[in-house]
Amino acid sequence: MPIVEIPVGPQHPALKEPIRFIFQLDGEIVVGAEPRLGYAHRGIEKLAEHRTYVQALYLSERICGICSVAHTTCYVETAERVFNVEAPPRAKYIRVIVSELNRIHSHLLWLGILAHEVGFDTLFMYTWRDREMVLDLLEMITGNRVLYAINMIGGVRHDITPEMADKARKVMDYLEERTKYYKRVAEEDPVFNNRLAEVGILSPSDARRLCAVGPTIRGSGVKTDIRRDDPYSAYDEVPFNVITYDEGDALAKTLVRIDEILESINMIRYALDHMPGGEISVRVPMRPPPGEAVGRVEAPRGELFYYIKSDGTMRPYRFKVRTPTLANIPALCRMLEGIFVADIPVVVASIDPCIACMDRVLLIDKSRGKKWVWTKEELRRYSLKWYEEHGRR
Amino acid sequence: MSVIKEVLRNIISRPVTLKYPQERKELPERFRGRITIDYDNCIGCGLCARVCPALAITMVNPPGKKDIRSRRPLVHLYKCIFCGQCALVCPRKVISFTHEYELASYDKEGSVVAPPFVKKGNKGGRELSKG
């Protein structure tokens, strides 16, 4: 049978950001995947060179809506190295708490999307309902649900009061119980096992070779986490385990994320109990000395990398961002090889893409000379129907 | 077995969603809604306009006056990103955020926080469209 190429994407503004794939198909099996990036290019790095350091902070927050606090944490950690200032210890703990709350919300959101992709919409509703509790908590602490604006160069803007800490502890108790339930669902439910187990396997050697990051590489049994390897904020003082699973399939990546929620809950509890007192911010001059710095942060999706170069003026001379999804794209293409067309949504979702979309699938069957276009939603329905007909492989 | 348990639990439990226009959620104290500026105590230093990341604040002069000291900030809410940096840098702390979050309006007048000397009829005019 001849190899058939199908382009997928790039547009689907509603659910995910644009990315285009060309899949080479041998019948129902994907034998190769070729990505085409750059549809969501917004020129943020260049724009930041025309903004002051304070203004660029809010720009960096808007690179990603879901892991916005990871971006600002990375920005302020890097900028503080350029400015030669250090945030007070209490500010560092508040950064850890907000970052971990953000991780919980990101992972719950992702779990809901994955459940939606496999046709398990009850779980999707459940996780998004529980995510709302985290968003309420973040709104209480920072003043906004998504774009928190809590980090500033030299500290944080808002303090966490004892009443807020009490409320956060209560929410953590509730979430711990719910997350344990989701873990049981992921391990025992036949829907999850049928659709996720042994799908999109990434071997540890491939994961290392292709430089995967975050839960994607930890699902392949490679123990790496920026929070442990290169601690920032107060992560060197807050104890936690790096979660790894050895299977490397989509189910392993799911379990890594669910266990990370449990770890984050424990980290928030520890940080709330052991938060030192004192100031939450220090004064920072408008102009930094000339110099350059890099910063790395473990965002919910993996390692986030920032580079800032200063020439002594009020504006950064160069601002560079490498987001975790970009690092995961080569590994994703490897994972897509050898899977069924019906598994494409699940495998693409398994890296938690920040730019990914399968809006318009143009299917060309060369042997019959037929052409048709699928949207992402139709591809999802096709995958659900295909599994209804074929059952468990 | 667990499915039946979940179904029974959901039959007796109340919906999580609110009937929005009738029922409203209580907003936290730190919520950042519509900006208000206490123009009586504003000294017109212009720091807020310089620091705004979205360039949503312009400094406007009262009619007939050209000097730099009588300028007052004017906020375009359709440009505002509600980051709160202006409130943070304000030396007199006259900028604050209300809990009003329904900011849609039919004209530009409704989406502008303007000093009292800006005439009502002029708010959608050329003066506001620049900056």
Side-chain angles (χ1 to χ4, degrees):
Chain A
M1 204 168 159
I3 302 288
V4 177
E5 286 196 345
I6 58 166
V8 175
Q11 292 300 321
H12 184 99
L15 192 62
K16 282 164 195 161
E17 288 162 279
I19 183 173
R20 183 168 183 250
F21 281 104
I22 295 173
F23 291 113
Q24 280 122 24
L25 301 186
D26 182 4
E28 195 67 40
I29 312 270
V30 180
V31 292
E34 204 179 285
R36 162 86 166 76
L37 309 172
Y39 291 100
H41 183 78
R42 289 174 287 170
I44 281 187
E45 290 177 14
K46 194 70 192 165
L47 183 57
E49 292 168 15
H50 297 269
R51 292 280 185 271
T52 63
Y53 282 92
V54 172
Q55 290 171 332
L57 166 64
Y58 298 102
L59 192 62
S60 78
E61 185 156 46
R62 279 149 183 84
I63 291 174
C64 174
I66 294 169
C67 42
S68 59
V69 80
H71 279 273
T72 52
T73 309
C74 199
Y75 180 87
V76 294
E77 293 279 335
T78 315
E80 276 164 11
R81 278 173 208 158
V82 176
F83 278 87
N84 279 327
V85 292
E86 202 178 344
R90 189 173 175 87
K92 290 181 173 178
Y93 268 78
I94 293 172
R95 278 182 195 168
V96 166
I97 292 167
V98 177
S99 297
E100 291 310 311
L101 282 172
N102 185 256
R103 193 181 312 279
I104 295 174
H105 122 69
S106 172
H107 282 352
L108 282 175
L109 175 133
W110 174 83
L111 187 61
I113 288 176
L114 184 83
H116 175 67
E117 298 290 358
V118 301
F120 192 175
D121 279 337
T122 314
L123 188 65
F124 163 63
M125 297 287 176
Y126 273 6
T127 52
W128 280 47
R129 179 192 68 191
D130 295 339
R131 171 177 168 261
E132 210 60 31
M133 312 265 300
V134 186
L135 290 181
D136 284 349
L137 212 54
L138 282 165
E139 193 181 30
M140 181 184 72
I141 295 170
T142 68
N144 209 340
R145 278 163 54 90
V146 179
L147 298 160
Y148 312 115
I150 185 155
N151 282 321
M152 52 187 208
I153 300 169
V156 291
R157 198 190 282 181
H158 296 297
D159 203 354
I160 294 179
T161 60
E163 300 86 66
M164 287 178 180
D166 284 345
K167 198 164 175 210
R169 283 193 193 93
K170 269 182 211 143
V171 174
M172 289 304 120
D173 291 344
Y174 169 81
L175 276 178
E176 187 178 27
E177 188 197 315
R178 292 301 301 175
T179 313
K180 282 180 177 160
Y181 170 73
Y182 297 141
K183 195 180 176 191
R184 218 167 58 236
V185 169
E187 282 171 342
E188 292 170 8
D189 197 272
V191 176
F192 263 59
N193 266 311
N194 271 339
R195 290 299 305 276
L196 301 181
E198 288 165 37
V199 169
I201 295 174
L202 183 68
S203 68
S205 60
D206 274 343
R208 278 215 182 85
R209 189 169 56 83
L210 299 167
C211 304
V213 293
T216 310
I217 194 166
R218 290 198 284 274
S220 298
V222 182
K223 204 165 186 164
T224 166
D225 191 321
I226 301 301
R227 292 175 289 172
R228 187 200 61 163
D229 302 340
D230 183 11
Y232 54 95
S233 295
Y235 280 109
D236 47 348
E237 292 167 32
V238 180
F240 68 102
N241 299 320
V242 179
I243 309 289
T244 54
Y245 277 81
D246 294 333
E247 292 80 6
D249 53 4
L251 187 62
K253 294 181 187 73
T254 312
L255 292 172
V256 165
R257 289 195 175 91
I258 295 176
D259 279 354
E260 277 184 10
I261 298 175
L262 292 171
E263 279 303 315
S264 294
I265 290 170
N266 287 332
M267 287 164 85
I268 291 166
R269 281 186 185 141
Y270 181 91
L272 286 172
D273 291 342
H274 294 79
M275 214 162 31
E279 287 293 304
I280 56 165
S281 63
V282 290
R283 277 193 77 87
V284 177
M286 286 290 275
R287 285 165 221 269
E292 56 187 352
V294 295
R296 295 197 293 170
V297 156
E298 184 75 18
R301 297 180 166 89
E303 179 191 334
L304 178 64
F305 174 93
Y306 268 45
Y307 168 81
I308 295 175
K309 184 173 179 167
S310 147
D311 58 354
T313 59
M314 278 165 67
R315 301 163 208 277
Y317 180 75
R318 180 79 177 93
F319 174 59
K320 166 80 191 138
V321 182
R322 210 272 338 258
T323 57
T325 306
L326 185 67
N328 276 333
I329 292 286
L332 172 66
C333 292
R334 177 71 196 82
M335 278 145 65
L336 285 165
E337 285 168 21
I339 60 163
F340 290 114
V341 172
D343 287 331
I344 291 174
V346 166
V347 172
V348 173
S350 78
I351 71 156
D352 193 2
C354 202
I355 36 149
C357 139
M358 277 170 280
D359 129 84
R360 237 179 34 224
V361 186
L362 180 65
L363 295 173
I364 306 171
D365 194 337
K366 274 187 184 157
S367 55
R368 277 176 285 170
K370 261 172 69 183
K371 255 190 196 182
W372 65 99
V373 173
W374 272 355
T375 63
K376 159 86 178 47
E377 189 55 30
E378 280 167 333
L379 182 61
R380 190 183 78 86
R381 273 193 222 122
Y382 169 78
S383 77
L384 297 181
K385 205 175 129 223
W386 194 87
Y387 268 98
E388 250 169 44
E389 283 164 11
H390 292 73
R392 208 199 150 103
R393 278 159 300 128
Chain B
M1 204 41 216
S2 67
V3 176
I4 298 163
K5 227 166 77 183
E6 285 296 317
V7 169
L8 287 175
R9 191 185 297 156
N10 279 307
I11 284 172
I12 52 169
S13 64
R14 282 177 52 208
V16 215
T17 46
L18 295 176
K19 283 183 180 157
Y20 160 59
Q22 289 90 37
E23 291 173 54
R24 273 154 203 265
K25 216 168 143 182
E26 204 185 316
L27 291 169
E29 196 191 323
R30 289 173 182 172
F31 182 81
R32 297 191 293 274
R34 186 193 190 92
I35 287 184
T36 52
I37 301 178
D38 175 10
Y39 283 104
D40 295 340
N41 293 319
C42 176
I43 53 170
C45 65
L47 261 180
C48 49
R50 275 177 60 189
V51 84
C52 178
L55 315 179
I57 305 179
T58 45
M59 299 301 287
V60 290
N61 274 104
K65 285 191 178 176
K66 286 265 161 70
D67 62 313
I68 207 163
R69 278 171 184 276
S70 55
R71 296 182 315 167
R72 291 292 176 266
L74 181 147
V75 186
H76 302 266
L77 288 176
Y78 53 91
K79 276 186 180 174
C80 178
I81 57 173
F82 300 93
C83 64
Q85 186 67 34
C86 48
L88 202 69
V89 298
C90 182
R92 299 307 271 297
K93 299 288 164 215
V94 295
I95 304 179
S96 57
F97 288 88
T98 63
H99 283 188
E100 188 191 338
Y101 52 88
E102 287 155 326
L103 300 177
S105 72
Y106 289 104
D107 51 4
K108 278 190 181 171
E109 234 174 83
S111 60
V112 159
V113 177
F117 56 74
V118 175
K119 279 196 209 102
K120 278 235 155 163
N122 196 19
K123 280 188 183 174
R126 196 148 48 94
E127 195 183 315
L128 299 192
S129 55
K130 64 181 178 190

